[in-house]
Amino acid sequence: MSDPRPVCLITGASAGIGAACAELAAKRGYDLLLTYLSDGTGAEATRAMAEAAGARVVLVQADVGKPDDIDRIYATLDAEFGRIDALVNNAGAIDSIARLTEMDHARLTRIFAVNVIGAMLVAKGAVQRMEEQGDGGAIVNVSSAAARLGSGGQFVDYAATKGAIDTFTKGLSDEVAPGGIRVNAVRPGIIETDIHGKAGAPDRAGELGPMTPMRRAGSAAEVAASVLYLMSDDASYITGAFLDVSGGR
Ligand code: NAP
């Protein structure tokens, strides 16, 4: 017998926005397949939060930059849950702050493999299953305000991957809309997570937050609320849309 709770796959759920999405999705009644790359401790903490909120949770360690790992995510999902109702395409990588002239082929290949090709292949697995199930579904891609702003002098490579995600969101939403599958994106602005430390600027949210129109950085929970809105029936006529969660930035 299939699980009566809807099933949501969230990539990159060991920290930050993905972890906040997992906690809120659990509270909203989803069972969860959560992935992480390297932070097993963080992933276990997210699992504990989600289980405390009533969800059944399965964790998978996977690099979304590796197609075999994506196949393993879906093999686990098929075996453990047998269906998918929602995808939060969240896993994302950033490299250190640099100018284009300092970026080499290896860096560009890696960031596009994770943020673009990985996100597209993860979405492909969800669409294949949702179309076979025949009862719709919701995909939320986690883009970035960087897609609009370009991040010159910081990480134009990362910003370009998010621009690609925006284009992909629009195209895929048109492609799968007749099957009742909705595809939307959130574009977070300056959000307090560990991603800034990974770019070599751990104080970035504290420094740039006060320069935004709302004069503060956002929280992962605020992004998660928008993701869960786009997944919900309250957004039943919304597809191909971009929700800026950026305090006006
Ligand atoms: P975070 O705290 O650094 O979390 C990133 C998550 O993605 C972690 O769970 C990490 O796994 C996972 N991840 C990284 N590379 C991966 C890979 N190759 N394969 C699988 N998983 C991988 O960052 P965050 O701020 O929550 O970012 C989440 C999403 O929001 C990203 O797509 C990011 O681009 C986007 N975003 C963030 C901001 C912001 O200001 N924070 C703004 C705009 C957009 P491990 O920790 O296990 O290694």
Side-chain angles (χ1 to χ4, degrees):
M1 206 169 83
S2 67
D3 193 317
R5 290 168 63 102
V7 175
C8 179
L9 165 60
I10 304 175
T11 60
S14 51
I17 292 167
C21 288
E23 184 176 15
L24 193 56
K27 287 178 178 162
R28 299 273 170 90
Y30 287 88
D31 282 342
L32 299 169
L33 189 298
L34 305 178
T35 81
Y36 66 100
L37 176 63
S38 59
D39 183 4
T41 306
E44 286 295 349
T46 307
R47 182 216 290 267
M49 278 193 305
E51 286 181 345
R56 180 174 169 233
V57 180
V58 174
L59 288 182
V60 178
Q61 186 284 325
D63 182 346
V64 302
K66 296 181 177 164
D68 289 350
D69 283 20
I70 296 174
D71 289 345
R72 199 158 42 70
I73 292 170
Y74 279 107
T76 306
L77 183 131
D78 292 342
E80 295 285 342
F81 295 105
R83 67 173 285 116
I84 180 170
D85 299 280
L87 164 65
V88 183
N89 216 352
N90 167 76
I94 202 162
D95 211 319
S96 52
I97 289 173
R99 299 187 74 239
L100 176 67
T101 49
E102 300 164 308
M103 296 177 192
D104 61 13
H105 184 267
R107 169 175 169 149
L108 297 178
T109 301
R110 171 78 187 151
I111 198 120
F112 273 80
V114 173
N115 292 5
V116 182
I117 298 172
M120 291 176 76
L121 290 176
V122 170
K124 173 184 169 180
V127 166
Q128 285 172 325
R129 285 159 182 80
M130 288 172 180
E131 288 186 336
E132 199 175 309
Q133 290 163 198
D135 54 359
I139 294 174
V140 180
N141 294 324
V142 181
S143 175
S144 172
R148 290 184 282 105
L149 300 171
S151 304
Q154 299 206 317
F155 20 69
V156 293
D157 54 346
Y158 169 84
T161 67
K162 296 303 187 177
I165 288 299
D166 282 8
T167 305
F168 172 59
T169 299
K170 173 57 182 157
L172 183 65
S173 71
D174 290 347
E175 193 168 303
V176 301
I181 302 168
R182 297 183 300 103
V183 185
N184 294 292
V186 291
R187 286 193 294 221
I190 302 292
I191 308 300
E192 283 181 36
T193 73
D194 291 343
I195 201 170
H196 308 292
K198 293 171 187 173
D203 301 330
R204 189 166 178 267
E207 286 166 8
L208 294 186
M211 295 162 67
T212 65
M214 286 186 69
R215 302 284 187 268
R216 67 173 178 86
S219 70
E222 289 176 305
V223 180
S226 293
V227 170
L228 267 290
Y229 164 67
L230 289 170
M231 276 163 55
S232 76
D233 286 344
D234 286 343
S236 57
Y237 199 51
I238 299 177
T239 197
F242 304 95
L243 188 45
D244 289 312
V245 190
S246 58
R249 187 167 184 257

